Amino acid sequence: MFLTVPTLLTWARIVAIPLIIGVFYLPLDAPTRNLAATVMFVFFALTDWLDGWLARKLNQTSAFGAFLDPVADKFLICAALIVLLKLQRVDALVALVIIGREIAISALREWMAQIGASRSVAVHMLGKLKTTAQMVAIPFLLYDGPLFGVIDTRVWGTVLMYAAALLTVWSMAYYLRKAVPEIRAKVR
């Protein structure tokens, strides 16, 4: 359970965090640091898809893997947002909204599991769209330069990050709307 190939890929996302952050402390020029961080982020973000696919294909799904996978995603995204905040490539309010939502929804899911209503806050398409927007915006903002001489990654990354923030609020409202009736029913 702890050492299956899918779970090891999930652990790799967590282990990648200090590597991605550490690149910005190396004595390299800015474009090289940006490229290295971008390549690592993209590589490890792709393991999110790969570990789920392998878990199903190899019949190695587990409760632990289902727990660890979203935790690894949240760690990776939050760490990247903090780096981008330090580099002044993401607005503080946007980072706060996204990180705050991750904490709030994680707490909500924990609470819903305790009252036996975790199905009401199961992953929804809005959450998947939010994650996709983040997973595209973050590498653009890490790269922070012209891509193929045409794409201004700072502009597109910023637009996508604001879209991710909007989807973050929307998905949080959706999950809260689904959870409130369950919470009210259990409180009575």
Side-chain angles (χ1 to χ4, degrees):
M1 167 170 77
F2 293 107
L3 297 177
T4 64
V5 172
T7 306
L8 289 173
L9 286 171
T10 304
W11 280 114
R13 280 203 306 287
I14 295 170
V15 171
I17 293 166
L19 299 175
I20 294 169
I21 294 169
V23 163
F24 290 99
Y25 292 94
L26 294 175
L28 303 169
D29 63 345
T32 303
R33 286 193 306 256
N34 291 345
L35 178 60
T38 302
V39 168
M40 283 193 289
F41 183 88
V42 168
F43 175 79
F44 287 107
L46 288 173
T47 66
D48 182 28
W49 170 81
L50 183 59
D51 66 18
W53 182 80
L54 284 173
R56 290 183 294 278
K57 182 91 170 152
L58 301 173
N59 198 27
Q60 294 181 344
T61 58
S62 68
F64 180 73
F67 155 77
L68 189 63
D69 185 67
V71 170
D73 294 345
K74 287 170 185 21
F75 278 160
L76 185 62
I77 287 170
C78 291
L81 284 172
I82 291 168
V83 166
L84 291 170
L85 189 59
K86 182 181 185 317
L87 296 171
Q88 298 180 338
R89 297 179 192 171
V90 70
D91 187 82
L93 182 60
V94 169
L96 181 62
V97 164
I98 292 171
I99 293 170
R101 181 261 187 208
E102 298 302 345
I103 293 167
I105 295 302
S106 293
L108 179 65
R109 285 192 172 124
E110 175 72 22
W111 187 12
M112 298 306 284
Q114 286 181 2
I115 65 172
S118 58
R119 296 186 88 205
S120 65
V121 288
V123 175
H124 184 266
M125 184 53 78
L126 280 172
K128 291 182 182 209
L129 287 172
K130 170 211 51 105
T131 301
T132 301
Q134 290 170 351
M135 293 293 201
V136 175
I138 289 171
F140 274 12
L141 292 170
L142 285 171
Y143 187 72
D144 194 43
L147 188 61
F148 309 119
V150 179
I151 300 169
D152 185 338
T153 60
R154 171 83 63 116
V155 169
W156 282 103
T158 301
V159 168
L160 286 167
M161 192 56 74
Y162 277 105
L166 179 65
L167 288 166
T168 294
V169 172
W170 189 5
S171 67
M172 186 168 78
Y174 172 83
Y175 290 127
L176 288 171
R177 195 178 88 238
K178 294 293 238 174
V180 166
E182 296 283 349
I183 294 168
R184 284 187 178 147
K186 297 290 181 182
V187 170
R188 291 182 186 157

